[in-house]
Every structure is written in C-alpha cells, then in structure tokens.
Amino acid sequence: MFRLSIPASAEPLDPEKIEEKELGPWSVETWHITGVNGDRIPLNINVSETVKPKIALLGGHGLYGSKDAPYLKGAARRWTKDAVQTIIPDLPFHGDRSVDGMAPEQAMTPHAVQRAMGDFSRTVDFVKSRPQTAALPLAFVGFSMSTMLGVPFVAADDRIDASAFVVGGSQMETVFNNDPQMPEPMKEQLAALDPATYAGGTHGRPVLMMNAHQDEAFSRKSAMDLFDAFGSPKMLNFFEGTHVVWPHPKLVYDRLLAFFLELVVEDL
C-alpha cells in the first residue's frame, strides 16, 4: 500500500523577513522560506518584546484557513506572553499561496498532502536554524485539516517533541462501513491518507486530542478511532460545541497551553 512520506529538498531555505507589525508588547513577523517544491512559503512568527520563549510551536490551519486564521492568530498572540513562540505557515493552496481556479480541497490529494508534510518539515528546518528557537522544545498543533496532514508529518519527523490535534479524527472505518462494496484500491488510497494509519508513529512523544461533542465533521467515533491508533502517552478531551462553533473557546485554549507548558517544557 502507498504510504505518505516527507519529500526531501536540497534547496536552501533562503529565509527573508518581509514585514514586522508591532502590536503592543509583541510583534508579528512575516517571513518567506523556500518550500519543498521550490516555491516560497509565507509564515508568521509571534515575538514578545519582554518574554523569552521557552517553547517553539508550529501551528497548522484548517481547510478554509491560513496563517492568519483567527483561531490560530489570537491564540498565538496570547501564548506569546506565556513564553510560547508560534510559527504558522500558509499551507499549499491557502492564504498567500492560493491559486486562482484551485479549491482548498485539492490540498487533500496524496501529492498535496506530501507537499504539505514537506513544507511543515522545511518550517521545522527554519525553526531549528534560528538562534532564538534552535534549542527549544518544539511542539505542533493542528486544527481540522492539519490533523489529517499533521499526524503523518509528526509521525515521520521526530524533531517534534509533542503534538496537539484539534477537531480532527479518522474517517476510515466509518467510510468503509457505509460502503462495504468499496473497491479494494479505493480502500487502500483512503487508508493511505487517513491519520490513523500513521498515528502509532508518535509512540513515546505526548499527544493531546481536543474534540467537540457535537462535531458534524468528525464524530465521537471518528475521534476515538484516531485516539486509539496513537502511541502513548496520549490524552483526549471533549468540549462543548460543533466543528467551528465553541461556546467556551477559552477552555480549549487553556487546555492546549497547559499541555504545551506542563507536559512539553517540564517533562521533555
């Protein structure tokens, strides 16, 4: 069966700082680096003027998001004062990398998933090249689509010390059960793209899943199927809300922050 992997690139990163916006006690820097396909990856880095970072955090957005998605941008600003420096790239076909006539859904083809994994890995190269973050523990947080992309990436790149996945899950068993006559080649392709296929590769590195009770995109079974596939240590927390509407978002972000600081910084 075909399996996702991180494509290699011999291209230099060639990092270039494009812009810096001062926002009170922190600033947002926009950088460009060279991606695995040779194009430029725009990414945002949140930098505190007064707090030295204790952890670097690579953030992955959802299917209709970007590096400027509010659910990532707001958290990154808040976490900066808690010593978490967040780096958020635009994934292929999203944000400043969107292409006319190409839908975001094209990011979920096998080629595009591997490209995104390669770009995540290139972003890690960038984080590890910076004196400010080179020696810091490195965590990953992926929302929705970036659970689907992020699990195989984290499993394959052991430079990620811990990972959190929000409103994501495995849909493999549900799809198979709904279509028992599905041809075997199609089953193999779905399995090759499903995060549960790769989740065991996180063994020995902490994983936190955060899922919504009323999520219409990833059901409780979907979440449990992925959770069961992860290596240990692992935790799963459910919260009130749907895939995109969370009545108490602060509780979600507080739990994520506690995971990054207590589990990653203190235990690793």
Side-chain angles (χ1 to χ4, degrees):
M1 182 182 74
F2 166 79
R3 286 182 67 90
L4 296 168
S5 60
I6 296 176
S9 173
E11 293 284 337
L13 285 174
D14 192 20
E16 179 184 8
K17 187 176 178 180
I18 302 299
E19 183 181 27
E20 180 173 355
K21 294 180 180 178
E22 294 188 4
L23 300 168
W26 70 85
S27 60
V28 178
E29 299 176 359
T30 300
W31 289 71
H32 286 179
I33 63 172
T34 302
V36 74
N37 273 20
D39 60 332
R40 301 293 276 173
I41 305 173
L43 51 87
N44 287 344
I45 305 176
N46 286 259
V47 179
S48 172
E49 304 300 325
T50 58
V51 180
K52 185 177 180 179
K54 296 179 181 178
I55 180 171
L57 175 65
L58 172 56
H61 59 74
L63 183 63
Y64 299 104
S66 71
K67 68 182 183 304
D68 296 310
Y71 52 83
L72 269 171
K73 183 167 64 175
R77 291 177 179 178
R78 175 194 165 193
W79 290 339
T80 299
K81 69 179 179 61
D82 293 298
V84 178
Q85 186 167 110
T86 308
I87 303 94
I88 309 168
D90 274 337
L91 293 172
F93 314 119
H94 292 79
D96 292 338
R97 303 175 75 187
S98 60
V99 178
D100 288 343
M102 298 188 75
E105 288 83 356
Q106 291 179 267
M108 294 309 300
T109 64
H111 173 75
V113 171
Q114 291 202 134
R115 180 180 174 189
M117 292 169 63
D119 287 348
F120 275 141
S121 189
R122 297 283 284 178
T123 305
V124 173
D125 293 342
F126 174 63
V127 171
K128 293 299 185 182
S129 74
R130 290 166 53 83
Q132 306 94 318
T133 51
L136 296 180
L138 176 59
F140 177 89
V141 60
F143 289 77
S144 191
M145 179 188 74
S146 283
T147 292
M148 312 299 283
L149 307 176
V151 172
F153 160 67
V154 170
D157 195 325
D158 60 9
R159 295 175 295 175
I160 303 296
D161 296 305
S163 52
F165 302 102
V166 187
V167 292
S170 167
Q171 296 183 320
M172 188 164 44
E173 289 303 321
T174 300
V175 171
F176 291 173
N177 290 338
N178 288 342
D179 187 3
Q181 305 303 317
M182 181 181 295
E184 197 62 31
M186 187 174 294
K187 285 186 177 182
E188 290 186 0
Q189 180 170 328
L190 287 173
L193 291 174
D194 196 273
T197 299
Y198 307 91
T202 65
H203 183 74
R205 294 177 286 163
V207 170
L208 171 66
M209 286 185 63
M210 298 287 292
N211 286 78
H213 281 299
Q214 293 83 31
D215 194 327
E216 69 282 9
F218 295 98
S219 66
R220 187 179 188 88
K221 174 174 172 41
S222 172
M224 293 302 303
D225 284 346
L226 179 55
F227 180 72
D228 290 344
F230 276 117
S232 60
K234 58 186 176 181
M235 291 154 286
L236 171 60
N237 292 163
F238 281 93
F239 58 89
E240 286 301 318
T242 66
H243 193 66
V244 298
V245 179
W246 306 346
H248 307 290
K250 185 176 183 299
L251 297 178
V252 179
Y253 290 106
D254 284 350
R255 180 68 186 95
L256 290 169
L257 178 62
F259 173 72
F260 299 138
L261 292 180
E262 297 172 14
L263 296 179
V264 179
V265 173
E266 296 180 5
D267 292 347
L268 290 177

